[in-house]
Amino acid sequence: MNTTSRKVSQPSLPESLFEKLFEFSPDAIVVTDANGRITEVSARVESSFGYSKSELLGQPIEILIPERFRPTHPHHRKEYVGQARVRPMGAGLELFGRRKDGSEFPADIMLGPVETSKGRVVLSVIRDLTEKRQAEEALRRMELEKSYLEEELGTASKFEDIIGESVKLKRILKHVETVAATDVTVLILGETGTGKEVIARAIHNLSPRNGRVIVKLNCAAIPTGLLESELFGHERGAFTGAIDRKIGRLELAHEGTLFLDEIGDLPLELQPKILRALQEKEFERIGSTQTIPVNVRLVAATNRDLTQMVADRQFRSDLYYRLRVFPITLPPLRERREDIPLLVRYFVDRHARRLSRKIESIDPETMRTLARWDWPGNIRELENFIERAVILSKGPVLRAPLAELAMPAEAPSAQDSTLEAKDREHILRVLRETKGKISGPQGAAAQLGLIRTTLNSKLKKLRIARKDYM
């Protein structure tokens, strides 16, 4: 194509139309010459970028580009001038503008060569996408919140209400009622299966924040490499596989409650980051330098001995004391045996209705046996046991597999009478019943009411090898 034909193919605007375009365009318009120098700007540029017209005329276009892109931009600009063509908005590029104060904003930019009476210039039409991105993020946040709320409503809680009449439980509930009205951090301590999550939800529901969501993050259930992203979120391109911006659980819990379950499993490298977020009430997503303010009420829970972990340098002391503003220790089920009959009846009724079984009575001797058992897995183990019993019951009387709870015939030694020994024997019994299968709906972890990682930790702690149960 010769020079003449190339010139004819380029659009040519009358000066009056060109001026009106500047005057009425809702987008910022910047005109540059072949060397990338700014020759004209629209009035919208001043409100978008914070510069006056006199400050920009004669300056290189790079003045409006974030510093991290400036070294490579002249090369791209030179390539564009050599093969000038219209590049429409929405071309799929991640573009940003830089204001006079150094702040950045997401932008969509249309480029086009224009022939004028003074020669060819490059017209840049710059659209500020800040409001659009905020609207998209608000919509994404609403969808996530809706998802969490649906999960809360649709999740079959291990018990919909807190069941029991024991003195210890009533004392706990009094503490919950007292602290819920405040905004302080609560640390819930107790063995696995004692109902720590139920107490956390009760604190949220009784608090002034109950109009917002309670967002849960199980620190033991998410791989360490993904935990930071789940907690703080990330920007697009922050790491391999980050194809889009992600809102973290901390940001999603803004104005609500963040429940960090199994906080004793929070990696050491993340502990100062969550501590800073709690103290400063702000954080940054991974891959971003923008500080995001956040206002959350933190409730944490663990079955681990954090005091010992601090002594062993496995948990930061400053975070520990920040968490332990109002500790609540839940008693194991063996310390509130008078609640066991109430829980048994509750779970029998619940699972019988769910499984369409009609169970009208529980044998007194069965109830006494259930009340005498120590239940190492606490309420979660009791519910799983009752669910199995309901499944096995064909008539109106509950048929409980009490053989699972039978104590050894021989008198136990002093060592075997310890709770740890009972816990070990109970886990071994379940492992043998499941033929060594740990995970899955019919695995030992599910039967014991534990998550797989917790059961694996128990196996190591109790020194249970595969040869012990296979």
Side-chain angles (χ1 to χ4, degrees):
M1 182 181 292
N2 58 41
T3 306
T4 303
S5 63
R6 284 186 63 183
K7 284 186 177 181
V8 171
S9 65
Q10 301 298 339
S12 179
L13 293 177
E15 296 293 340
S16 59
L17 183 59
F18 200 55
E19 290 172 1
K20 287 182 179 179
L21 181 63
F22 264 61
E23 183 179 352
F24 295 112
S25 173
D27 301 313
I29 301 178
V30 179
V31 181
T32 54
D33 60 20
N35 297 317
R37 295 282 175 178
I38 298 174
T39 60
E40 189 60 74
V41 297
S42 68
R44 185 72 176 181
V45 170
E46 185 169 350
S47 60
S48 295
F49 289 91
Y51 288 100
S52 65
K53 180 177 180 179
S54 60
E55 289 177 304
L56 291 176
L57 294 181
Q59 294 292 330
I61 189 64
E62 281 76 20
I63 192 174
L64 303 179
I65 294 174
E67 292 182 3
R68 64 184 186 278
F69 300 127
R70 288 181 183 177
T72 58
H73 189 264
H75 172 72
H76 296 309
R77 176 167 47 77
K78 186 177 180 181
E79 280 189 344
Y80 179 81
V81 171
Q83 294 182 340
R85 70 270 181 207
V86 175
R87 190 187 74 190
M89 286 188 175
L93 300 174
E94 191 80 4
L95 303 173
F96 296 87
R98 182 183 186 276
R99 301 184 183 93
K100 184 179 179 180
D101 62 8
S103 62
E104 298 180 10
F105 63 91
D108 211 348
I109 303 175
M110 184 196 79
L111 294 179
V114 177
E115 296 293 343
T116 70
S117 59
K118 298 178 182 179
R120 181 189 295 176
V121 296
V122 175
L123 196 69
S124 301
V125 181
I126 305 165
R127 181 167 298 166
D128 190 338
L129 298 180
T130 301
E131 292 185 0
K132 180 183 177 184
R133 292 290 172 81
Q134 288 174 345
E136 290 173 347
E137 194 159 303
L139 179 60
R140 189 181 298 118
R141 186 194 303 274
M142 288 174 62
E143 289 173 347
L144 285 172
E145 287 184 357
K146 180 174 178 287
S147 175
Y148 272 99
L149 288 171
E150 287 176 348
E151 183 179 335
E152 289 294 309
L153 294 171
T155 297
S157 174
K158 292 302 179 185
F159 15 68
E160 295 158 354
D161 298 309
I162 300 172
I163 308 299
E165 294 291 338
S166 63
V167 173
K168 287 190 175 183
L169 181 61
K170 288 182 177 180
R171 187 181 300 124
I172 292 296
L173 297 183
K174 186 65 177 176
H175 289 327
V176 168
E177 186 178 9
T178 300
V179 75
T182 72
D183 216 23
V184 301
T185 300
V186 180
L187 178 62
I188 306 173
L189 304 167
E191 296 178 9
T192 295
T194 49
K196 295 186 288 295
E197 183 174 342
V198 175
I199 294 298
R201 296 184 191 283
I203 292 171
H204 172 74
N205 292 335
L206 292 172
S207 76
R209 296 174 179 260
N210 59 12
R212 303 288 294 183
V213 294
I214 175 172
V215 178
K216 176 186 173 183
L217 178 64
N218 189 316
C219 301
I222 299 174
T224 302
L226 300 178
L227 191 55
E228 183 176 5
S229 174
E230 282 294 325
L231 187 56
F232 298 106
H234 63 251
E235 295 291 342
R236 178 181 177 183
F239 50 83
T240 303
I243 59 176
D244 202 356
R245 171 183 287 178
K246 177 183 177 64
I247 297 176
R249 307 285 178 96
L250 179 62
E251 186 175 355
L252 189 61
H254 182 58
E255 303 292 346
T257 302
L258 177 65
F259 175 44
L260 293 183
D261 200 5
E262 306 288 356
I263 198 167
D265 293 279
L266 187 69
L268 272 170
E269 61 269 22
L270 287 186
Q271 292 178 21
K273 295 183 179 181
I274 189 64
L275 178 63
R276 175 183 175 271
L278 293 174
Q279 291 178 335
E280 305 297 331
K281 296 186 176 181
E282 60 183 25
F283 71 101
E284 295 90 33
R285 296 192 190 108
I286 300 174
S288 173
T289 57
Q290 179 185 359
T291 299
I292 301 174
V294 67
N295 176 16
V296 300
R297 199 270 180 83
L298 179 67
V299 178
T302 184
N303 60 2
R304 303 183 69 177
D305 186 348
L306 292 185
T307 304
Q308 186 59 49
M309 291 182 68
V310 170
D312 295 340
R313 299 182 181 276
Q314 296 176 348
F315 201 87
R316 290 178 62 102
S317 60
D318 48 4
L319 178 57
Y320 172 65
Y321 292 118
R322 180 65 179 78
L323 296 173
R324 198 180 171 86
V325 178
F326 196 98
I328 295 178
T329 301
L330 303 187
L333 195 52
R334 62 185 175 275
E335 293 181 8
R336 41 182 286 231
R337 294 182 189 276
E338 59 267 46
D339 289 335
I340 292 177
L342 294 174
L343 287 163
V344 169
R345 293 188 185 96
Y346 175 81
F347 290 137
V348 167
D349 179 67
R350 175 180 172 181
H351 290 296
R353 281 188 283 107
R354 184 176 62 85
L355 296 168
S356 300
R357 300 291 174 87
K358 190 174 182 180
I359 298 177
E360 299 173 348
S361 63
I362 304 171
D363 181 73
E365 183 57 36
T366 296
M367 187 68 83
R368 281 192 291 271
T369 301
L370 296 176
R372 285 197 303 265
W373 184 246
D374 278 341
W375 301 106
N378 292 293
I379 301 169
R380 187 181 293 125
E381 181 190 2
L382 173 63
E383 182 183 7
N384 287 343
F385 180 87
I386 295 301
E387 185 177 9
R388 292 198 300 278
V390 170
I391 294 172
L392 293 171
S393 301
K394 304 300 182 184
V397 180
L398 183 74
R399 293 177 57 86
L402 297 179
E404 295 183 11
L405 310 181
M407 301 298 292
E410 66 275 7
S413 65
Q415 181 179 1
D416 289 338
S417 65
T418 64
L419 175 62
E420 185 173 284
K422 292 178 182 178
D423 197 7
R424 189 177 193 277
E425 182 59 34
H426 182 57
I427 291 174
L428 282 171
R429 185 184 300 114
V430 175
L431 284 168
R432 291 179 187 123
E433 289 176 357
T434 59
K435 296 181 172 54
K437 184 178 180 182
I438 291 179
S439 58
Q442 304 302 319
Q447 299 299 317
L448 291 166
L450 306 173
I451 62 174
R452 177 181 54 80
T453 53
T454 301
L455 178 56
N456 285 331
S457 298
K458 276 183 170 286
L459 296 182
K460 291 179 181 179
K461 180 181 177 182
L462 299 174
R463 298 177 182 176
I464 296 177
R466 188 171 179 81
K467 62 181 177 60
D468 296 328
Y469 54 86
M470 290 297 289

